Amino acid sequence: MRLKIHPEVADALDSGRPVVALESTIISHGLPRPDNLRVAREIEHSVREGGAVPATIAVVGGVPRIGLDDEALRTIAMDDAVVKVSVRDLGTLVAKEGHGATTVAATSHLAALAGITVFATGGLGGVHRGARETWDESADLTTLSTTPVTVVCAGVKSILDVAATLERLETLNIPVLGYRTDRFPGFYLADSGFALDWRVESPEEIAAVLHARTTLQCGAGVLVVNPVQQADELDRALHDSVLESGLAAADAAGVHGKDVTPFLLDHFHTATHGRSLEVNVALVRSNAALAAAIATALLA
Ligand code: PSU
Ligand code: MN
């Protein structure tokens, strides 16, 4: 088995230029077609504008790819055969030569394997509501506890149990750094209602934290949380009503396991008539730009 690194990404890594990893589940299962392909390209563009090389990660025809050409990006966005893959699915999918869109967990794993340490996405997976009965907790959390990658995100969606997710991040030794905020962001909303212990003001300050962690062999990944601009956030009343109807619909449809997150995301996009998509795109692009700045600061 080989890992296929896009020549531009390989060149940047070899010559010590900044690279930012991007996940692909957000493209295949997190955003509606046909906007997803356009948005995937826009996210890559934001990384470039920030002065770094984008490396969107996915499995195409059984080959783990670090950086996708246009054909591969189109396959991930449009092909019905693309499955959502976490770390545990990678080996099976490679052996079966299938197409897979990587979650934050699987993307972090492959990024680290390729020597990429900064990664941008929208929202991290976490502890689901009702996890006390279902045990549904994303492998994003456990994977980050052992994978030294910095993930820039807008917190977690309120479809999850935010308080439980924050507790698990603490247990798993994953620090959460608020970028110019003291509040844990709630994805569509700038503030989830929970406070953070640590606030950072610049990419340089984040780089200093990361260098110190390397020296101290802290091992785990780091979450940098970047809230959506207050002007861009989803209307709170709309958010709350759509969340309530989405949770009820998922329950009524008997959706469970890895289908829960895509189901609820789709509900948000439909029920807000595309408004949640605009918020989603704005925050991912902002995260991509910040990740590029962090990757640059790390090399300074
Ligand atoms: N949260 C979002 N958008 C997403 C996801 C999470 O706001 O697209 C995707 C990410 O790829 C994340 C995955 O890694 O869902 C988590 O899925 P699960 O809960 O099944 O681990
Ligand atoms: Mn799950």
Side-chain angles (χ1 to χ4, degrees):
M1 203 273 299
R2 66 217 153 82
L3 203 64
K4 189 170 167 187
I5 304 185
H6 190 285
E8 189 192 6
V9 175
D11 192 48
L13 290 170
D14 286 346
S15 56
R17 282 182 290 120
V19 175
V20 170
L22 299 168
E23 65 151 310
S24 45
T25 293
I26 189 182
I27 304 169
S28 65
H29 292 71
L31 296 166
R33 291 183 199 164
D35 298 288
N36 59 345
L37 181 59
R38 170 183 57 85
V39 174
R41 291 188 180 121
E42 286 176 9
I43 301 167
E44 291 197 344
H45 185 67
S46 293
V47 172
R48 288 188 195 284
E49 280 181 329
V53 173
T56 302
I57 294 181
V59 179
V60 183
V63 180
R65 303 265 294 255
I66 312 295
L68 304 182
D69 56 29
D70 206 61
E71 192 191 342
L73 200 63
R74 187 177 290 277
T75 297
I76 293 302
M78 299 300 179
D79 197 317
D80 288 332
V82 175
V83 294
K84 173 179 168 184
V85 286
S86 191
V87 179
R88 70 167 186 163
D89 308 304
L90 284 172
T92 315
L93 190 74
V94 166
K96 288 183 178 291
E97 301 182 353
H99 298 320
T102 49
T103 61
V104 169
T107 304
S108 300
H109 180 83
L110 292 173
L113 205 57
I116 302 170
T117 63
V118 183
F119 165 17
T121 186
L124 184 72
V127 180
H128 283 259
R129 289 162 185 253
R132 204 172 270 110
E133 276 79 40
T134 62
W135 292 75
D136 190 353
E137 174 185 340
S138 178
D140 290 356
L141 300 185
T142 47
T143 300
L144 275 182
S145 73
T146 55
T147 309
V149 165
T150 297
V151 180
V152 182
C153 67
V156 301
K157 284 210 178 75
S158 46
I159 60 173
L160 300 175
D161 184 334
V162 180
T165 301
L166 286 168
E167 289 297 340
R168 288 292 288 153
L169 287 166
E170 180 182 357
T171 304
L172 293 167
N173 290 328
I174 302 165
V176 184
L177 308 179
Y179 187 68
R180 298 180 181 163
T181 183
D182 303 299
R183 312 291 296 172
F184 188 65
F187 196 88
Y188 294 127
L189 307 174
D191 180 357
S192 68
F194 293 87
L196 289 173
D197 289 339
W198 297 103
R199 172 187 177 122
V200 286
E201 302 297 337
S202 66
E204 292 70 28
E205 191 181 358
I206 296 167
V209 173
L210 297 175
H211 287 314
R213 289 177 54 80
T214 301
T215 308
L216 296 166
Q217 300 187 10
C218 289
V222 171
L223 268 196
V224 173
V225 290
N226 183 31
V228 67
Q229 296 291 310
Q230 216 121 45
D232 289 335
E233 75 172 5
L234 201 61
D235 177 77
R236 277 184 182 255
L238 177 64
H239 168 272
D240 293 351
S241 78
V242 170
L243 175 62
E244 196 181 324
S245 60
L247 291 169
D251 197 41
V255 179
H256 64 272
K258 69 191 222 178
D259 297 330
V260 171
T261 303
F263 179 92
L264 289 169
L265 299 186
D266 184 57
H267 177 83
F268 257 90
H269 292 140
T270 312
T272 65
H273 306 289
R275 174 66 193 129
S276 73
L277 177 63
E278 289 171 17
V279 181
N280 205 333
V281 174
L283 66 87
V284 183
R285 294 197 64 173
S286 163
N287 294 343
L290 177 57
I294 295 168
T296 304
L298 270 174
L299 294 167

